[in-house]
Amino acid sequence: MSTDDATRPAARLTVLSGPSGVGKDSVIELIRARAPWVWLSVSVTTRKKREYEVDGVHYHFVDRTEFERLADGGQLLEWAEFAGNLYGTPRGPVEARLREGQPVLLKIDLQGATQVREAMPDAQLVFLAPPSWEELERRLIGRGTDDPDTINHRLEHAREEMAAQPDFDVTIINHYVEQAAYELVGLLGLQTTR
Ligand code: 5GP
């Protein structure tokens, strides 16, 4: 392929979003393992690092002061507050990868997806949906260790998240993670995971 910018096909920015508990992280982990030609954006967050997470791979973990410095300096493509923590997509690396012709995938929440749509109207928005509402409910209620108020709050939030589906370009139903990852890679427009 030519390295001339004028002849290089424009790479695509794809956003993966969907309700909490639908399995976005599992789909992303499969893509990380099987589709290394896809560039996964690394968000900045003020959330505490989980034990299995690696700084710079899963997130850039920063404090609020640093996050606000990035946001105020226009260095974030989008950002949102989720469950008391701030999350944002660094703009520079996304733009650089797209210029180089590499497909870029963002895994962000619904507020972020709306902002990307405004900032980059050519972005492809993919909604990951559960096979049914009952199945999502089952996943969110989990092992039943939470009190009823917490569970109700989570379900209420999930209902709002599910209502955003019509605003997306494509819906993938997460019956099986393997199949969902395969469909997503297909939408990214290059090689497939099989
Ligand atoms: P978690 O803390 O479980 O990793 O992520 C919580 C939520 O934040 C998920 O819905 C995830 O998709 C979202 N998220 C992660 N990174 C970003 C980001 O850069 N921007 C936005 N808007 N949401 C994000």
Side-chain angles (χ1 to χ4, degrees):
M1 192 192 294
S2 166
T3 53
D4 177 6
D5 278 350
T7 57
R8 193 197 295 277
R12 195 162 222 193
L13 173 66
T14 303
V15 171
L16 179 68
S17 206
S20 320
V22 74
K24 283 172 292 185
D25 285 334
S26 309
V27 169
I28 291 289
E29 285 314 315
L30 259 190
I31 288 184
R32 192 191 299 284
R34 306 256 187 91
W37 59 90
V38 175
W39 189 71
L40 299 171
S41 165
V42 183
S43 297
V44 282
T45 184
T46 61
R47 158 163 88 55
K48 264 186 71 180
K49 190 170 92 58
R50 296 179 185 137
E51 207 171 310
Y52 62 88
E53 289 175 326
V54 178
D55 193 8
V57 174
H58 297 94
Y59 285 105
H60 297 291
F61 295 94
V62 298
D63 59 21
R64 268 192 179 246
T65 309
E66 173 63 3
F67 192 101
E68 281 159 9
R69 190 186 69 76
L70 293 170
D72 293 347
Q75 293 188 51
L76 302 179
L77 182 60
E78 59 74 36
W79 67 270
E81 182 149 11
F82 186 95
N85 297 304
L86 300 171
Y87 297 82
T89 304
R91 179 191 299 277
V94 169
E95 291 178 347
R97 298 299 170 140
L98 290 174
R99 265 199 310 274
E100 286 160 13
Q102 194 171 5
V104 169
L105 182 58
L106 311 182
K107 182 212 71 173
I108 59 179
D109 82 331
L110 296 161
Q111 309 164 68
T114 307
Q115 293 174 55
V116 170
R117 164 123 297 161
E118 278 163 24
M120 293 186 159
D122 292 341
Q124 169 175 238
L125 266 53
V126 179
F127 189 89
L128 190 66
S132 64
W133 170 255
E134 289 70 27
E135 174 60 20
L136 185 67
E137 222 174 24
R138 200 180 60 75
R139 291 183 199 172
L140 286 171
I141 292 171
R143 278 173 283 182
T145 46
D146 289 318
D147 60 80
D149 274 357
T150 306
I151 291 174
N152 283 336
H153 180 74
R154 236 186 253 169
L155 293 176
E156 188 54 42
H157 188 58
R159 234 172 252 121
E160 284 167 23
E161 291 177 314
M162 287 295 287
Q165 183 174 344
D167 300 335
F168 282 69
D169 300 312
V170 190
T171 292
I172 292 177
I173 299 177
N174 191 12
H175 291 287
Y176 302 101
V177 176
E178 296 260 344
Q179 178 65 25
Y182 176 71
E183 286 179 30
L184 180 58
V185 170
L187 291 172
L188 293 168
L190 285 175
Q191 305 160 54
T192 63
T193 51
R194 280 184 193 158

